[in-house]
């Protein structure tokens, strides 16, 4: 198991938890990123301002990372464009059909002990693992 | 306006958390999902940290009549499992495994200026619109958007 980084990963996870907690305790909302992005692309009255501000914060944080922690963008694996486009369509469509992604289901929902989020998280980790198995071990030469 | 400021600051902290934890690096995500290769358990620690904190916040929220800056909590209450939930999660997982990106890290990494990230996010936006159109054509548009106003969705 190389590349194992438990300490920074735990620290980053705590920051993610604190951010989502602030959204819950201050604003009363769930910090689900796919829902937040959806709320900007397809605006719903009363939801667009806070969602836009959150995404602006993500981008501002992204700029801070670029300046102070540039290896956050050391992607390591960059799939071909055709694959990235298919993946993006699956992620966009799938998160809306299933009402959530890693943040909404994987963090917020599991913490609330929501059965829907537990099943969703188990499902997306399982299909993610199957796809990685296929791409890395069944047809690695095709990339 | 205070909720807008809270959202902006929370967005910054969220992005820093993603960057520090390794979530913005597809190699870490794909390594976590590679259970049959050289498995990288790091992302389990991201979930541990995030869930540990949010679990406490979630408990705390139940003792509060309302959030600090708003009139009420807007939290999903559904408990039923349906085919859309499972199919959606399955499709999302496939895209996540294929690219190594999920929505939060992808939006954050737009700031890197890397073209592959921009392509992924553009396709993700197209996927969101595609879902909107299929949902609208099935329900005449009313149910989906009305549903979005109520705390019935998960995220």
């Amino acid at each position: 198991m190389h590349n194992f980084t438990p300490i920074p990963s735990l620290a980053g996870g705590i920051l993610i938890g604190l951010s989502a907690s602030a959204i819950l305790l201050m604003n009363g909302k769930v910090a689900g990123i796919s829902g937040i992005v959806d709320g900007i692309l397809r605006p719903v009255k009363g939801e667009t301002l806070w969602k836009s501000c959150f995404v602006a914060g993500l981008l501002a944080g992204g700029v801070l990372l670029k300046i102070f922690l540039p290896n956050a963008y050391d992607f390591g694996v960059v799939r071909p464009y055709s694959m990235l486009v298919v993946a993006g369509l699956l992620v966009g469509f799938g998160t809306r059909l299933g009402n959530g992604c890693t943040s909404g289901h994987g963090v917020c929902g599991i913490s609330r002990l929501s059965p829907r989020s537990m099943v969703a998280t188990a499902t997306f980790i399982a299909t993610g693992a199957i796809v990685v198995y296929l791409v890395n071990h069944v047809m690695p030469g095709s990339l | 306006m205070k909720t807008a400021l809270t959202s902006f600051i929370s967005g910054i902290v969220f992005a820093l958390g993603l960057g520090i934890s390794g979530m913005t690096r597809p190699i870490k995500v794909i390594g976590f999902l590679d259970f049959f290769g050289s498995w990288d358990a790091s992302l389990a620690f991201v979930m541990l940290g995030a869930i540990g904190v949010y679990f406490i916040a979630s408990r705390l929220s139940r003792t509060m009549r309302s959030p600090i800056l708003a009139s009420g909590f807007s939290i999903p209450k559904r408990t039923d499992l349906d085919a859309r939930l499972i199919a959606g999660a399955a499709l999302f997982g496939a895209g996540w495994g294929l690219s190594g990106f999920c929505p939060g890290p992808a939006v954050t990494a737009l700031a890197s200026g890397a073209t592959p990230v921009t392509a992924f996010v553009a396709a993700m936006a197209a996927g969101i619109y595609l879902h909107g159109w299929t949902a609208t054509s099935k329900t005449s548009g009313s149910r989906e958007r009305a549903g979005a106003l109520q705390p019935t969705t998960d995220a």
Side-chain angles (χ1 to χ4, degrees):
Chain A
M1 195 153 76
H2 55 274
N3 298 325
F4 185 47
T5 55
I7 303 301
S9 288
L10 186 68
I14 289 170
L15 288 179
I16 292 167
L18 288 173
S19 162
S21 297
I23 293 292
L24 175 68
L25 298 176
M26 305 291 271
N27 296 1
K29 303 288 186 183
V30 174
I33 310 300
S34 62
I36 288 173
V37 173
D38 188 13
I40 296 172
L41 295 177
R42 300 185 301 150
V44 173
K45 205 177 170 204
E47 290 287 303
T48 308
L49 178 65
W50 82 266
K51 288 178 174 177
S52 303
C53 290
F54 189 91
V55 167
L58 280 182
L59 294 170
V63 171
L64 292 175
L65 288 171
K66 190 175 167 116
I67 298 166
F68 296 107
L69 191 67
N71 68 5
Y73 301 127
D74 183 5
F75 298 129
V77 175
V78 179
R79 301 297 191 199
Y81 279 101
S82 55
M83 208 181 261
L84 286 171
V85 167
V86 171
L89 286 167
L90 287 169
V91 168
F93 188 88
T95 52
R96 292 301 73 216
L97 186 64
N99 277 328
C101 59
T102 14
S103 48
H105 281 310
V107 175
C108 300
I110 285 191
S111 303
R112 284 199 319 273
L113 309 178
S114 153
R116 281 172 61 82
S117 292
M118 290 183 187
V119 168
T121 304
T123 304
F124 63 66
I125 289 178
T127 57
I130 291 167
V131 167
V132 167
Y133 178 76
L134 293 174
V135 173
N136 280 7
H137 304 290
V138 177
M139 45 181 193
S142 65
L143 287 175
Chain B
M1 276 324 282
K2 281 182 185 168
T3 57
L5 186 64
T6 309
S7 301
F8 180 69
I9 293 168
S10 298
I12 294 175
V13 174
F14 203 100
L16 296 179
L18 290 171
I20 290 167
S21 66
M23 292 289 294
T24 50
R25 303 182 59 210
I27 193 170
K28 298 292 286 180
V29 173
I30 290 169
F32 172 70
L33 293 171
D34 196 3
F35 294 102
F36 305 101
S38 57
W39 188 51
D40 177 356
S42 305
L43 294 204
F45 285 75
V46 184
M47 290 189 77
L48 190 72
I51 291 172
V53 172
Y54 196 84
F55 178 79
I56 297 167
S58 174
R59 286 289 154 125
L60 187 60
S61 74
R62 287 176 204 179
T63 69
M64 297 161 65
R65 237 173 301 155
S66 64
I68 293 164
L69 299 176
S71 55
F73 287 101
S74 178
I75 305 299
K77 294 193 170 56
R78 278 179 72 175
T79 53
D80 61 303
L81 302 174
D82 62 343
R84 286 167 39 134
L85 175 80
I86 293 167
L91 293 174
F92 160 51
W96 191 37
L98 203 54
S99 60
F101 282 118
C102 55
V107 171
T108 301
L110 281 175
S112 72
T115 323
V117 177
T118 311
F120 176 87
V121 173
M124 184 175 90
I128 290 172
Y129 279 122
L130 187 66
H131 173 261
W133 287 325
T134 56
T136 305
S137 63
K138 271 182 219 149
T139 61
S140 312
S142 55
R143 200 169 68 98
E144 273 301 306
R145 299 323 282 161
L149 290 169
Q150 296 156 1
T152 51
T153 54
D154 295 289

